[in-house]
Amino acid sequence: MARTLVGLMLALLAAGPAGALGTRRPVTISGTVRVVGSEPLTRLVLTPAGGERDWLLVGPLQDELRRRHQGERVTLEGEPCPSPSPEFSRCFKPSRIAE
């Protein structure tokens, strides 16, 4: 678990400030896509292996992840974002589902 956390921290640092071209390198995270909470306040999360806290998933890929990948282990590329919910300290906006 410690190595995973260190790897995530390094990935976040690598994403750091925008480079010379004004772009950031995407961060990659893996875990199981789950829907948590009770209707009508359900949230889509990615649960990493190893007991780490869930990532709240936001953005345009939410519907596809919910419909096609719920309960599956996936790898996502994207960027961490401020959490819109006080229930989640970690938020991720995926830009693509890595194969």
Side-chain angles (χ1 to χ4, degrees):
M1 181 167 110
R3 268 201 296 189
T4 304
L5 187 56
V6 169
L8 177 61
M9 291 171 72
L10 290 173
L12 292 173
L13 289 173
L21 298 176
T23 60
R24 293 183 181 191
R25 286 192 276 170
V27 175
T28 303
I29 63 172
S30 297
T32 303
V33 176
R34 299 184 315 119
V35 175
V36 297
S38 300
E39 288 289 343
L41 301 175
T42 61
R43 302 289 185 149
L44 189 67
V45 300
L46 187 77
T47 303
E52 296 175 54
R53 280 183 268 145
D54 291 339
W55 287 90
L56 176 63
L57 298 176
V58 298
L61 288 181
Q62 273 185 296
D63 289 339
E64 180 180 351
L65 288 166
R66 186 183 293 252
R67 279 192 324 268
R68 293 186 171 170
H69 300 284
Q70 192 176 153
E72 294 180 3
R73 184 164 171 79
V74 297
T75 299
L76 303 173
E77 281 186 8
E79 61 184 50
C81 54
S83 180
S85 171
E87 302 160 41
F88 296 93
S89 60
R90 301 189 325 166
C91 181
F92 194 74
K93 183 177 182 180
S95 55
R96 83 177 192 96
I97 302 167
E99 299 297 326

